[in-house]
Amino acid sequence: MATITAMADNILRKQQENDVSEHEKTSYPGSKTEVHWDGKLCIHYGECGRASGELFVGARQPWCQPDLSSDEEIRDVLLRCPSGALTAKFADGSGVEPDVEENQLAVTQNGPLYFSGALNIEGATDASAGTRYRAALCRCGASKNKPYCDNSHIKSGFADSGAVGETGPGHSLVSGELNIKPLENGPLLVNGNLTIYASSGRQAWQGEKVAFCRCGESKNKPFCDGSHRQAGFRS
C-alpha cells in the first residue's frame, strides 16, 4: 500500500508541475468558480491530490476542474492546503476562508511551522491571498523562498520531533489579527493571540508574543534561543 500511495503522489505532483511551472501562478476557471494555485507557495503536501471526488485528478488535463464539484466540496478540499497555495473565487465574490475562530500554529515533525488564522505576514502581497489565512513557514533555515517553506528541510536533513516544552503565559482571546514579522537574519517575531499545537496534536502553548527559530539551530525548538547569531544565519 505504501508503494501505491507513493506512486500516486508522484503522478499527481508531475501532473501539477506539467500544468504550470513551480514558480508561477495558474487559474482553473469553471462556469461559476475559479480555483487558483500558487506554485511558489506549494509544498506538495498532497491534501488536494488525495482528496476524494473529481476536483483534482492527476491523470487528467487540466487536473483541476471546478465544475465537477460543488462549492461546498471545493471549499472543503482547498481549506486542507496548509501553505495557502490554493485559493478560489466563487460566483458571489467570496473566497474560501470561513470566519477565523482561533489563531493556531501546528509544529510539524522535521518540517515547517503551519500557521492558520487571521494572518498578517510582513512582506506578503495581495498576490499571495492564501497566506492571509494559512501559511507554511520555514524553520530549517535552508528555504530559498524565506520566510515560506519550499521543502528544503528534506534535502538539508533537518530533524526535530515537533515537541513543545513550554506552556506559555496564556491569553484572554483566541482570535484577532496575528502579526508575523521575519526579523532580518533572525527569528519570526509573532504578536497576537496564538495557540500552539505540538506535532502529537497536543495543545501545548498559549500566549500573545513569541519568537520562533528559523535558523534550525535553536536548542529550544520551536522557540528562538539566539542560536542564529552563532550560526551566521542570513535571510
Side-chain angles (χ1 to χ4, degrees):
M1 179 62 72
T3 302
I4 294 174
T5 300
M7 291 174 61
D9 287 348
N10 187 51
I11 291 171
L12 289 168
R13 178 168 179 168
K14 287 182 179 297
Q15 177 64 34
Q16 189 179 46
E17 292 172 354
N18 285 338
D19 278 356
V20 64
S21 73
E22 288 190 4
H23 299 292
E24 294 180 354
K25 299 180 178 69
T26 193
S27 296
Y28 299 97
S31 59
K32 297 185 298 181
T33 302
E34 186 170 71
V35 173
H36 306 279
W37 177 70
D38 188 335
K40 196 169 184 179
L41 293 175
C42 182
I43 56 173
H44 306 288
Y45 189 73
E47 287 281 11
C48 53
R50 292 194 189 187
S52 60
E54 297 297 317
L55 181 59
F56 293 98
V57 175
R60 188 180 65 193
Q61 288 284 352
W63 82 308
C64 177
Q65 295 187 19
D67 283 345
L68 299 181
S69 300
S70 67
D71 286 356
E72 182 179 354
E73 290 170 334
I74 292 172
R75 281 192 172 93
D76 176 66
V77 174
L78 268 55
L79 281 172
R80 302 177 193 181
C81 173
S83 69
L86 289 172
T87 56
K89 185 175 182 180
F90 297 94
D92 62 3
S94 66
V96 173
E97 309 298 335
D99 292 336
V100 175
E101 296 182 355
E102 182 181 40
N103 295 321
Q104 299 182 1
L105 167 61
V107 183
T108 66
Q109 184 174 9
N110 305 330
L113 301 172
Y114 287 143
F115 284 90
S116 63
L119 310 182
N120 178 25
I121 303 174
E122 185 174 280
T125 66
D126 290 341
S128 302
T131 60
R132 293 199 296 266
Y133 305 95
R134 290 163 286 130
L137 300 188
C138 174
R139 71 186 186 108
C140 73
S143 173
K144 297 177 178 60
N145 188 34
K146 296 181 182 70
Y148 304 102
C149 173
D150 68 356
N151 278 342
S152 289
H153 54 273
I154 299 173
K155 290 184 179 180
S156 71
F158 174 72
D160 179 66
S161 67
V164 180
E166 300 179 19
T167 59
H171 52 52
S172 57
L173 300 172
V174 294
S175 59
E177 189 170 70
L178 190 69
N179 295 294
I180 303 173
K181 181 177 182 178
L183 298 184
E184 183 178 2
N185 304 328
L188 287 172
L189 187 62
V190 178
N191 284 278
N193 300 307
L194 179 65
T195 300
I196 301 176
Y197 291 84
S199 62
S200 64
R202 177 181 65 87
Q203 180 178 303
W205 187 98
Q206 287 186 318
E208 299 177 7
K209 186 173 182 179
V210 63
F212 292 108
C213 173
R214 64 185 187 121
C215 72
E217 299 296 329
S218 174
K219 305 297 188 298
N220 187 33
K221 297 180 182 72
F223 307 105
C224 173
D225 68 354
S227 292
H228 53 277
R229 300 186 187 94
Q230 185 174 355
F233 174 68
R234 293 292 179 267
S235 61

mmCIF file with all atom_site columns, all heavy atoms in Angstrom, residues 24-45:
data_model
loop_
_atom_site.group_PDB
_atom_site.id
_atom_site.type_symbol
_atom_site.label_atom_id
_atom_site.label_alt_id
_atom_site.label_comp_id
_atom_site.label_asym_id
_atom_site.label_entity_id
_atom_site.label_seq_id
_atom_site.pdbx_PDB_ins_code
_atom_site.Cartn_x
_atom_site.Cartn_y
_atom_site.Cartn_z
_atom_site.occupancy
_atom_site.B_iso_or_equiv
_atom_site.pdbx_formal_charge
_atom_site.auth_seq_id
_atom_site.auth_comp_id
_atom_site.auth_asym_id
_atom_site.auth_atom_id
_atom_site.pdbx_PDB_model_num
ATOM 1   N N   . GLU A 1 24 ? 5.210   29.731 -10.850 1.00 0.00 ? 24 GLU A N   1
ATOM 2   C CA  . GLU A 1 24 ? 4.174   30.521 -11.477 1.00 0.00 ? 24 GLU A CA  1
ATOM 3   C C   . GLU A 1 24 ? 2.837   30.288 -10.790 1.00 0.00 ? 24 GLU A C   1
ATOM 4   O O   . GLU A 1 24 ? 2.656   29.339 -10.038 1.00 0.00 ? 24 GLU A O   1
ATOM 5   C CB  . GLU A 1 24 ? 4.049   30.164 -12.967 1.00 0.00 ? 24 GLU A CB  1
ATOM 6   C CG  . GLU A 1 24 ? 5.276   30.543 -13.796 1.00 0.00 ? 24 GLU A CG  1
ATOM 7   C CD  . GLU A 1 24 ? 5.104   30.167 -15.254 1.00 0.00 ? 24 GLU A CD  1
ATOM 8   O OE1 . GLU A 1 24 ? 4.095   29.519 -15.585 1.00 0.00 ? 24 GLU A OE1 1
ATOM 9   O OE2 . GLU A 1 24 ? 5.975   30.520 -16.049 1.00 0.00 ? 24 GLU A OE2 1
ATOM 10  N N   . LYS A 1 25 ? 1.901   31.173 -11.081 1.00 0.00 ? 25 LYS A N   1
ATOM 11  C CA  . LYS A 1 25 ? 0.534   31.003 -10.617 1.00 0.00 ? 25 LYS A CA  1
ATOM 12  C C   . LYS A 1 25 ? -0.321  30.616 -11.803 1.00 0.00 ? 25 LYS A C   1
ATOM 13  O O   . LYS A 1 25 ? -0.052  31.005 -12.941 1.00 0.00 ? 25 LYS A O   1
ATOM 14  C CB  . LYS A 1 25 ? 0.010   32.308 -10.005 1.00 0.00 ? 25 LYS A CB  1
ATOM 15  C CG  . LYS A 1 25 ? 0.788   32.787 -8.791  1.00 0.00 ? 25 LYS A CG  1
ATOM 16  C CD  . LYS A 1 25 ? 0.176   34.085 -8.263  1.00 0.00 ? 25 LYS A CD  1
ATOM 17  C CE  . LYS A 1 25 ? 0.915   34.554 -7.019  1.00 0.00 ? 25 LYS A CE  1
ATOM 18  N NZ  . LYS A 1 25 ? 2.272   35.009 -7.327  1.00 0.00 ? 25 LYS A NZ  1
ATOM 19  N N   . THR A 1 26 ? -1.351  29.833 -11.547 1.00 0.00 ? 26 THR A N   1
ATOM 20  C CA  . THR A 1 26 ? -2.269  29.489 -12.615 1.00 0.00 ? 26 THR A CA  1
ATOM 21  C C   . THR A 1 26 ? -3.683  29.455 -12.070 1.00 0.00 ? 26 THR A C   1
ATOM 22  O O   . THR A 1 26 ? -3.899  29.323 -10.857 1.00 0.00 ? 26 THR A O   1
ATOM 23  C CB  . THR A 1 26 ? -1.923  28.134 -13.256 1.00 0.00 ? 26 THR A CB  1
ATOM 24  O OG1 . THR A 1 26 ? -2.647  27.976 -14.460 1.00 0.00 ? 26 THR A OG1 1
ATOM 25  C CG2 . THR A 1 26 ? -2.240  26.986 -12.311 1.00 0.00 ? 26 THR A CG2 1
ATOM 26  N N   . SER A 1 27 ? -4.647  29.603 -12.987 1.00 0.00 ? 27 SER A N   1
ATOM 27  C CA  . SER A 1 27 ? -6.057  29.587 -12.617 1.00 0.00 ? 27 SER A CA  1
ATOM 28  C C   . SER A 1 27 ? -6.752  28.463 -13.354 1.00 0.00 ? 27 SER A C   1
ATOM 29  O O   . SER A 1 27 ? -6.419  28.140 -14.500 1.00 0.00 ? 27 SER A O   1
ATOM 30  C CB  . SER A 1 27 ? -6.717  30.929 -12.983 1.00 0.00 ? 27 SER A CB  1
ATOM 31  O OG  . SER A 1 27 ? -6.157  31.979 -12.244 1.00 0.00 ? 27 SER A OG  1
ATOM 32  N N   . TYR A 1 28 ? -7.715  27.869 -12.674 1.00 0.00 ? 28 TYR A N   1
ATOM 33  C CA  . TYR A 1 28 ? -8.538  26.812 -13.259 1.00 0.00 ? 28 TYR A CA  1
ATOM 34  C C   . TYR A 1 28 ? -9.980  27.305 -13.246 1.00 0.00 ? 28 TYR A C   1
ATOM 35  O O   . TYR A 1 28 ? -10.678 27.179 -12.246 1.00 0.00 ? 28 TYR A O   1
ATOM 36  C CB  . TYR A 1 28 ? -8.386  25.519 -12.466 1.00 0.00 ? 28 TYR A CB  1
ATOM 37  C CG  . TYR A 1 28 ? -6.962  24.995 -12.440 1.00 0.00 ? 28 TYR A CG  1
ATOM 38  C CD1 . TYR A 1 28 ? -6.119  25.258 -11.361 1.00 0.00 ? 28 TYR A CD1 1
ATOM 39  C CD2 . TYR A 1 28 ? -6.462  24.250 -13.506 1.00 0.00 ? 28 TYR A CD2 1
ATOM 40  C CE1 . TYR A 1 28 ? -4.815  24.789 -11.339 1.00 0.00 ? 28 TYR A CE1 1
ATOM 41  C CE2 . TYR A 1 28 ? -5.151  23.780 -13.494 1.00 0.00 ? 28 TYR A CE2 1
ATOM 42  C CZ  . TYR A 1 28 ? -4.339  24.048 -12.411 1.00 0.00 ? 28 TYR A CZ  1
ATOM 43  O OH  . TYR A 1 28 ? -3.049  23.586 -12.392 1.00 0.00 ? 28 TYR A OH  1
ATOM 44  N N   . PRO A 1 29 ? -10.436 27.916 -14.341 1.00 0.00 ? 29 PRO A N   1
ATOM 45  C CA  . PRO A 1 29 ? -11.776 28.507 -14.355 1.00 0.00 ? 29 PRO A CA  1
ATOM 46  C C   . PRO A 1 29 ? -12.872 27.468 -14.572 1.00 0.00 ? 29 PRO A C   1
ATOM 47  O O   . PRO A 1 29 ? -12.711 26.514 -15.339 1.00 0.00 ? 29 PRO A O   1
ATOM 48  C CB  . PRO A 1 29 ? -11.708 29.477 -15.536 1.00 0.00 ? 29 PRO A CB  1
ATOM 49  C CG  . PRO A 1 29 ? -10.688 28.878 -16.452 1.00 0.00 ? 29 PRO A CG  1
ATOM 50  C CD  . PRO A 1 29 ? -9.684  28.187 -15.571 1.00 0.00 ? 29 PRO A CD  1
ATOM 51  N N   . GLY A 1 30 ? -13.981 27.671 -13.869 1.00 0.00 ? 30 GLY A N   1
ATOM 52  C CA  . GLY A 1 30 ? -15.194 26.912 -14.090 1.00 0.00 ? 30 GLY A CA  1
ATOM 53  C C   . GLY A 1 30 ? -16.289 27.869 -14.495 1.00 0.00 ? 30 GLY A C   1
ATOM 54  O O   . GLY A 1 30 ? -16.058 29.081 -14.606 1.00 0.00 ? 30 GLY A O   1
ATOM 55  N N   . SER A 1 31 ? -17.470 27.378 -14.699 1.00 0.00 ? 31 SER A N   1
ATOM 56  C CA  . SER A 1 31 ? -18.574 28.247 -15.106 1.00 0.00 ? 31 SER A CA  1
ATOM 57  C C   . SER A 1 31 ? -18.988 29.203 -14.000 1.00 0.00 ? 31 SER A C   1
ATOM 58  O O   . SER A 1 31 ? -19.479 30.302 -14.270 1.00 0.00 ? 31 SER A O   1
ATOM 59  C CB  . SER A 1 31 ? -19.774 27.397 -15.531 1.00 0.00 ? 31 SER A CB  1
ATOM 60  O OG  . SER A 1 31 ? -20.197 26.557 -14.464 1.00 0.00 ? 31 SER A OG  1
ATOM 61  N N   . LYS A 1 32 ? -18.763 28.808 -12.716 1.00 0.00 ? 32 LYS A N   1
ATOM 62  C CA  . LYS A 1 32 ? -19.132 29.664 -11.596 1.00 0.00 ? 32 LYS A CA  1
ATOM 63  C C   . LYS A 1 32 ? -17.973 29.936 -10.641 1.00 0.00 ? 32 LYS A C   1
ATOM 64  O O   . LYS A 1 32 ? -17.945 30.969 -9.977  1.00 0.00 ? 32 LYS A O   1
ATOM 65  C CB  . LYS A 1 32 ? -20.282 29.025 -10.801 1.00 0.00 ? 32 LYS A CB  1
ATOM 66  C CG  . LYS A 1 32 ? -21.577 28.862 -11.569 1.00 0.00 ? 32 LYS A CG  1
ATOM 67  C CD  . LYS A 1 32 ? -22.679 28.346 -10.653 1.00 0.00 ? 32 LYS A CD  1
ATOM 68  C CE  . LYS A 1 32 ? -22.325 26.968 -10.097 1.00 0.00 ? 32 LYS A CE  1
ATOM 69  N NZ  . LYS A 1 32 ? -23.418 26.451 -9.213  1.00 0.00 ? 32 LYS A NZ  1
ATOM 70  N N   . THR A 1 33 ? -17.031 29.019 -10.569 1.00 0.00 ? 33 THR A N   1
ATOM 71  C CA  . THR A 1 33 ? -15.953 29.112 -9.587  1.00 0.00 ? 33 THR A CA  1
ATOM 72  C C   . THR A 1 33 ? -14.600 28.989 -10.265 1.00 0.00 ? 33 THR A C   1
ATOM 73  O O   . THR A 1 33 ? -14.433 28.193 -11.192 1.00 0.00 ? 33 THR A O   1
ATOM 74  C CB  . THR A 1 33 ? -16.092 27.995 -8.534  1.00 0.00 ? 33 THR A CB  1
ATOM 75  O OG1 . THR A 1 33 ? -17.370 28.109 -7.909  1.00 0.00 ? 33 THR A OG1 1
ATOM 76  C CG2 . THR A 1 33 ? -14.997 28.093 -7.483  1.00 0.00 ? 33 THR A CG2 1
ATOM 77  N N   . GLU A 1 34 ? -13.648 29.789 -9.793  1.00 0.00 ? 34 GLU A N   1
ATOM 78  C CA  . GLU A 1 34 ? -12.290 29.728 -10.329 1.00 0.00 ? 34 GLU A CA  1
ATOM 79  C C   . GLU A 1 34 ? -11.324 29.380 -9.206  1.00 0.00 ? 34 GLU A C   1
ATOM 80  O O   . GLU A 1 34 ? -11.293 30.055 -8.171  1.00 0.00 ? 34 GLU A O   1
ATOM 81  C CB  . GLU A 1 34 ? -11.911 31.061 -10.969 1.00 0.00 ? 34 GLU A CB  1
ATOM 82  C CG  . GLU A 1 34 ? -10.568 31.038 -11.687 1.00 0.00 ? 34 GLU A CG  1
ATOM 83  C CD  . GLU A 1 34 ? -10.337 32.292 -12.507 1.00 0.00 ? 34 GLU A CD  1
ATOM 84  O OE1 . GLU A 1 34 ? -10.126 33.357 -11.883 1.00 0.00 ? 34 GLU A OE1 1
ATOM 85  O OE2 . GLU A 1 34 ? -10.402 32.224 -13.750 1.00 0.00 ? 34 GLU A OE2 1
ATOM 86  N N   . VAL A 1 35 ? -10.555 28.326 -9.409  1.00 0.00 ? 35 VAL A N   1
ATOM 87  C CA  . VAL A 1 35 ? -9.558  27.890 -8.432  1.00 0.00 ? 35 VAL A CA  1
ATOM 88  C C   . VAL A 1 35 ? -8.190  28.414 -8.843  1.00 0.00 ? 35 VAL A C   1
ATOM 89  O O   . VAL A 1 35 ? -7.836  28.390 -10.028 1.00 0.00 ? 35 VAL A O   1
ATOM 90  C CB  . VAL A 1 35 ? -9.531  26.353 -8.326  1.00 0.00 ? 35 VAL A CB  1
ATOM 91  C CG1 . VAL A 1 35 ? -8.374  25.887 -7.422  1.00 0.00 ? 35 VAL A CG1 1
ATOM 92  C CG2 . VAL A 1 35 ? -10.855 25.831 -7.777  1.00 0.00 ? 35 VAL A CG2 1
ATOM 93  N N   . HIS A 1 36 ? -7.420  28.912 -7.878  1.00 0.00 ? 36 HIS A N   1
ATOM 94  C CA  . HIS A 1 36 ? -6.090  29.457 -8.134  1.00 0.00 ? 36 HIS A CA  1
ATOM 95  C C   . HIS A 1 36 ? -5.042  28.637 -7.394  1.00 0.00 ? 36 HIS A C   1
ATOM 96  O O   . HIS A 1 36 ? -5.242  28.241 -6.244  1.00 0.00 ? 36 HIS A O   1
ATOM 97  C CB  . HIS A 1 36 ? -6.021  30.917 -7.684  1.00 0.00 ? 36 HIS A CB  1
ATOM 98  C CG  . HIS A 1 36 ? -7.081  31.784 -8.280  1.00 0.00 ? 36 HIS A CG  1
ATOM 99  N ND1 . HIS A 1 36 ? -6.981  32.312 -9.542  1.00 0.00 ? 36 HIS A ND1 1
ATOM 100 C CD2 . HIS A 1 36 ? -8.276  32.190 -7.784  1.00 0.00 ? 36 HIS A CD2 1
ATOM 101 C CE1 . HIS A 1 36 ? -8.058  33.028 -9.808  1.00 0.00 ? 36 HIS A CE1 1
ATOM 102 N NE2 . HIS A 1 36 ? -8.864  32.964 -8.758  1.00 0.00 ? 36 HIS A NE2 1
ATOM 103 N N   . TRP A 1 37 ? -3.931  28.408 -8.066  1.00 0.00 ? 37 TRP A N   1
ATOM 104 C CA  . TRP A 1 37 ? -2.818  27.654 -7.482  1.00 0.00 ? 37 TRP A CA  1
ATOM 105 C C   . TRP A 1 37 ? -1.541  28.465 -7.603  1.00 0.00 ? 37 TRP A C   1
ATOM 106 O O   . TRP A 1 37 ? -1.188  28.935 -8.689  1.00 0.00 ? 37 TRP A O   1
ATOM 107 C CB  . TRP A 1 37 ? -2.649  26.310 -8.185  1.00 0.00 ? 37 TRP A CB  1
ATOM 108 C CG  . TRP A 1 37 ? -1.487  25.493 -7.694  1.00 0.00 ? 37 TRP A CG  1
ATOM 109 C CD1 . TRP A 1 37 ? -1.367  24.878 -6.488  1.00 0.00 ? 37 TRP A CD1 1
ATOM 110 C CD2 . TRP A 1 37 ? -0.268  25.206 -8.398  1.00 0.00 ? 37 TRP A CD2 1
ATOM 111 N NE1 . TRP A 1 37 ? -0.158  24.224 -6.395  1.00 0.00 ? 37 TRP A NE1 1
ATOM 112 C CE2 . TRP A 1 37 ? 0.530   24.406 -7.557  1.00 0.00 ? 37 TRP A CE2 1
ATOM 113 C CE3 . TRP A 1 37 ? 0.207   25.543 -9.666  1.00 0.00 ? 37 TRP A CE3 1
ATOM 114 C CZ2 . TRP A 1 37 ? 1.786   23.946 -7.931  1.00 0.00 ? 37 TRP A CZ2 1
ATOM 115 C CZ3 . TRP A 1 37 ? 1.469   25.086 -10.055 1.00 0.00 ? 37 TRP A CZ3 1
ATOM 116 C CH2 . TRP A 1 37 ? 2.242   24.297 -9.186  1.00 0.00 ? 37 TRP A CH2 1
ATOM 117 N N   . ASP A 1 38 ? -0.844  28.660 -6.475  1.00 0.00 ? 38 ASP A N   1
ATOM 118 C CA  . ASP A 1 38 ? 0.405   29.405 -6.429  1.00 0.00 ? 38 ASP A CA  1
ATOM 119 C C   . ASP A 1 38 ? 1.554   28.424 -6.267  1.00 0.00 ? 38 ASP A C   1
ATOM 120 O O   . ASP A 1 38 ? 1.783   27.868 -5.185  1.00 0.00 ? 38 ASP A O   1
ATOM 121 C CB  . ASP A 1 38 ? 0.374   30.396 -5.258  1.00 0.00 ? 38 ASP A CB  1
ATOM 122 C CG  . ASP A 1 38 ? 1.563   31.355 -5.259  1.00 0.00 ? 38 ASP A CG  1
ATOM 123 O OD1 . ASP A 1 38 ? 2.612   30.996 -5.812  1.00 0.00 ? 38 ASP A OD1 1
ATOM 124 O OD2 . ASP A 1 38 ? 1.421   32.451 -4.702  1.00 0.00 ? 38 ASP A OD2 1
ATOM 125 N N   . GLY A 1 39 ? 2.275   28.186 -7.357  1.00 0.00 ? 39 GLY A N   1
ATOM 126 C CA  . GLY A 1 39 ? 3.356   27.208 -7.345  1.00 0.00 ? 39 GLY A CA  1
ATOM 127 C C   . GLY A 1 39 ? 4.497   27.566 -6.420  1.00 0.00 ? 39 GLY A C   1
ATOM 128 O O   . GLY A 1 39 ? 5.210   26.685 -5.937  1.00 0.00 ? 39 GLY A O   1
ATOM 129 N N   . LYS A 1 40 ? 4.685   28.859 -6.144  1.00 0.00 ? 40 LYS A N   1
ATOM 130 C CA  . LYS A 1 40 ? 5.789   29.259 -5.284  1.00 0.00 ? 40 LYS A CA  1
ATOM 131 C C   . LYS A 1 40 ? 5.516   28.929 -3.824  1.00 0.00 ? 40 LYS A C   1
ATOM 132 O O   . LYS A 1 40 ? 6.437   28.756 -3.024  1.00 0.00 ? 40 LYS A O   1
ATOM 133 C CB  . LYS A 1 40 ? 6.055   30.754 -5.444  1.00 0.00 ? 40 LYS A CB  1
ATOM 134 C CG  . LYS A 1 40 ? 7.404   31.193 -4.891  1.00 0.00 ? 40 LYS A CG  1
ATOM 135 C CD  . LYS A 1 40 ? 7.732   32.607 -5.297  1.00 0.00 ? 40 LYS A CD  1
ATOM 136 C CE  . LYS A 1 40 ? 9.129   32.992 -4.827  1.00 0.00 ? 40 LYS A CE  1
ATOM 137 N NZ  . LYS A 1 40 ? 9.484   34.363 -5.233  1.00 0.00 ? 40 LYS A NZ  1
ATOM 138 N N   . LEU A 1 41 ? 4.234   28.863 -3.457  1.00 0.00 ? 41 LEU A N   1
ATOM 139 C CA  . LEU A 1 41 ? 3.867   28.534 -2.082  1.00 0.00 ? 41 LEU A CA  1
ATOM 140 C C   . LEU A 1 41 ? 3.647   27.041 -1.871  1.00 0.00 ? 41 LEU A C   1
ATOM 141 O O   . LEU A 1 41 ? 3.699   26.554 -0.744  1.00 0.00 ? 41 LEU A O   1
ATOM 142 C CB  . LEU A 1 41 ? 2.588   29.282 -1.679  1.00 0.00 ? 41 LEU A CB  1
ATOM 143 C CG  . LEU A 1 41 ? 2.677   30.797 -1.564  1.00 0.00 ? 41 LEU A CG  1
ATOM 144 C CD1 . LEU A 1 41 ? 1.300   31.379 -1.279  1.00 0.00 ? 41 LEU A CD1 1
ATOM 145 C CD2 . LEU A 1 41 ? 3.661   31.225 -0.483  1.00 0.00 ? 41 LEU A CD2 1
ATOM 146 N N   . CYS A 1 42 ? 3.381   26.325 -2.944  1.00 0.00 ? 42 CYS A N   1
ATOM 147 C CA  . CYS A 1 42 ? 3.018   24.909 -2.835  1.00 0.00 ? 42 CYS A CA  1
ATOM 148 C C   . CYS A 1 42 ? 4.199   24.071 -2.343  1.00 0.00 ? 42 CYS A C   1
ATOM 149 O O   . CYS A 1 42 ? 5.313   24.197 -2.842  1.00 0.00 ? 42 CYS A O   1
ATOM 150 C CB  . CYS A 1 42 ? 2.545   24.393 -4.184  1.00 0.00 ? 42 CYS A CB  1
ATOM 151 S SG  . CYS A 1 42 ? 2.008   22.665 -4.152  1.00 0.00 ? 42 CYS A SG  1
ATOM 152 N N   . ILE A 1 43 ? 3.952   23.214 -1.362  1.00 0.00 ? 43 ILE A N   1
ATOM 153 C CA  . ILE A 1 43 ? 4.986   22.298 -0.876  1.00 0.00 ? 43 ILE A CA  1
ATOM 154 C C   . ILE A 1 43 ? 4.571   20.842 -1.119  1.00 0.00 ? 43 ILE A C   1
ATOM 155 O O   . ILE A 1 43 ? 5.129   19.928 -0.542  1.00 0.00 ? 43 ILE A O   1
ATOM 156 C CB  . ILE A 1 43 ? 5.314   22.531 0.612   1.00 0.00 ? 43 ILE A CB  1
ATOM 157 C CG1 . ILE A 1 43 ? 4.062   22.415 1.491   1.00 0.00 ? 43 ILE A CG1 1
ATOM 158 C CG2 . ILE A 1 43 ? 5.980   23.882 0.816   1.00 0.00 ? 43 ILE A CG2 1
ATOM 159 C CD1 . ILE A 1 43 ? 4.357   22.472 2.983   1.00 0.00 ? 43 ILE A CD1 1
ATOM 160 N N   . HIS A 1 44 ? 3.577   20.652 -1.996  1.00 0.00 ? 44 HIS A N   1
ATOM 161 C CA  . HIS A 1 44 ? 3.156   19.314 -2.423  1.00 0.00 ? 44 HIS A CA  1
ATOM 162 C C   . HIS A 1 44 ? 2.807   18.409 -1.247  1.00 0.00 ? 44 HIS A C   1
ATOM 163 O O   . HIS A 1 44 ? 3.170   17.237 -1.205  1.00 0.00 ? 44 HIS A O   1
ATOM 164 C CB  . HIS A 1 44 ? 4.249   18.675 -3.290  1.00 0.00 ? 44 HIS A CB  1
ATOM 165 C CG  . HIS A 1 44 ? 4.660   19.538 -4.448  1.00 0.00 ? 44 HIS A CG  1
ATOM 166 N ND1 . HIS A 1 44 ? 3.854   19.737 -5.539  1.00 0.00 ? 44 HIS A ND1 1
ATOM 167 C CD2 . HIS A 1 44 ? 5.773   20.284 -4.660  1.00 0.00 ? 44 HIS A CD2 1
ATOM 168 C CE1 . HIS A 1 44 ? 4.461   20.560 -6.390  1.00 0.00 ? 44 HIS A CE1 1
ATOM 169 N NE2 . HIS A 1 44 ? 5.620   20.911 -5.871  1.00 0.00 ? 44 HIS A NE2 1
ATOM 170 N N   . TYR A 1 45 ? 2.062   18.960 -0.314  1.00 0.00 ? 45 TYR A N   1
ATOM 171 C CA  . TYR A 1 45 ? 1.653   18.189 0.855   1.00 0.00 ? 45 TYR A CA  1
ATOM 172 C C   . TYR A 1 45 ? 0.717   17.051 0.472   1.00 0.00 ? 45 TYR A C   1
ATOM 173 O O   . TYR A 1 45 ? 0.682   16.015 1.123   1.00 0.00 ? 45 TYR A O   1
ATOM 174 C CB  . TYR A 1 45 ? 0.983   19.127 1.865   1.00 0.00 ? 45 TYR A CB  1
ATOM 175 C CG  . TYR A 1 45 ? 0.710   18.492 3.208   1.00 0.00 ? 45 TYR A CG  1
ATOM 176 C CD1 . TYR A 1 45 ? 1.748   18.235 4.095   1.00 0.00 ? 45 TYR A CD1 1
ATOM 177 C CD2 . TYR A 1 45 ? -0.586  18.149 3.585   1.00 0.00 ? 45 TYR A CD2 1
ATOM 178 C CE1 . TYR A 1 45 ? 1.499   17.662 5.330   1.00 0.00 ? 45 TYR A CE1 1
ATOM 179 C CE2 . TYR A 1 45 ? -0.839  17.580 4.824   1.00 0.00 ? 45 TYR A CE2 1
ATOM 180 C CZ  . TYR A 1 45 ? 0.202   17.334 5.685   1.00 0.00 ? 45 TYR A CZ  1
ATOM 181 O OH  . TYR A 1 45 ? -0.039  16.761 6.905   1.00 0.00 ? 45 TYR A OH  1
#
